[in-house]
Amino acid sequence: MKISILTPTYNREKLLERLYKSILKNLNYGLEVEWLIMDDGSTDGTAKLIEKFINENKFDIQYYSQENKGKMVAINNLLPYSTGELIIECDSDDYFKQNAFLTIKNTCNELDENTYAMCYLKYDQNECNIGNLFKEKESTMFDLYFK
């Protein structure tokens, strides 16, 4: 299975390395990974940092840039470049916990072809849950968003 990680970014030079390292820590679960980054008009050293990651050649990283148009435009502009069976949107100030890709892989193996999306809870750096716990294992997008 191939995972496409889509990351919109704007002036996040100081935070992107944490996300990069978290992807590196999760590469050992038999999944192919591509990281697609859309720079939304950064004026800091984001481009140079991403170039450093690409030159390390640890996994497939693709860097694109656009003039500042916002997060959703950046995500939409990355979608045509995505080649993974699973697409994960990960903000530039977030990161993946150790074993995150194993959890994703195991969950995917349990799903059928009618599954549209998977949602996972977010936790802060102190392991405190951000948001409400899910009460149902399966849901509609409407219920997930509004309830």
Side-chain angles (χ1 to χ4, degrees):
M1 177 192 324
K2 184 174 186 179
I3 296 176
S4 297
I5 302 167
L6 309 183
T7 301
T9 189
Y10 177 75
N11 288 340
R12 297 294 186 142
E13 174 189 12
K14 297 194 183 328
L15 294 173
L16 280 165
E17 189 156 10
R18 180 177 63 182
L19 174 53
Y20 173 70
K21 287 180 178 179
S22 76
I23 295 170
L24 285 175
K25 288 180 184 177
N26 275 282
L27 289 178
N28 57 344
Y29 300 110
L31 298 171
E32 189 178 346
V33 174
E34 68 179 0
W35 187 21
L36 308 175
I37 303 160
M38 180 60 77
D39 190 333
D40 193 33
S42 294
T43 57
D44 63 359
T46 294
K48 190 170 265 195
L49 179 65
I50 300 303
E51 182 181 339
K52 179 185 138 208
F53 299 158
I54 291 170
N55 289 336
E56 288 178 9
N57 202 29
K58 303 284 186 180
F59 61 97
D60 184 18
I61 302 173
Q62 298 172 43
Y63 175 75
Y64 304 94
S65 62
Q66 65 183 29
E67 63 181 61
N68 187 268
K69 295 181 181 180
K71 175 182 175 178
M72 292 316 300
V73 172
I75 291 288
N76 287 333
N77 286 338
L78 282 174
L79 281 171
Y81 301 107
S82 173
T83 61
E85 291 90 2
L86 180 64
I87 297 173
I88 299 172
E89 188 270 317
C90 187
D91 289 344
S92 53
D93 61 341
D94 288 334
Y95 60 95
F96 293 98
K97 195 173 171 181
Q98 184 67 39
N99 299 323
F101 291 2
L102 178 61
T103 299
I104 291 167
K105 180 181 177 180
N106 290 340
T107 301
C108 284
N109 289 335
E110 297 172 5
L111 301 175
D112 63 31
E113 69 273 359
N114 295 320
T115 301
Y116 174 75
M118 297 180 299
C119 295
Y120 294 91
L121 296 172
K122 287 178 83 171
Y123 292 84
D124 65 18
Q125 293 179 345
N126 298 317
E127 298 293 320
C128 294
N129 176 41
I130 300 171
N132 298 321
L133 295 175
F134 300 132
K135 294 178 183 171
E136 302 290 330
K137 183 175 180 177
E138 294 184 12
S139 178
T140 65
M141 290 301 287
F142 178 85
D143 287 345
L144 188 63
Y145 186 80
F146 290 107
K147 296 181 181 179

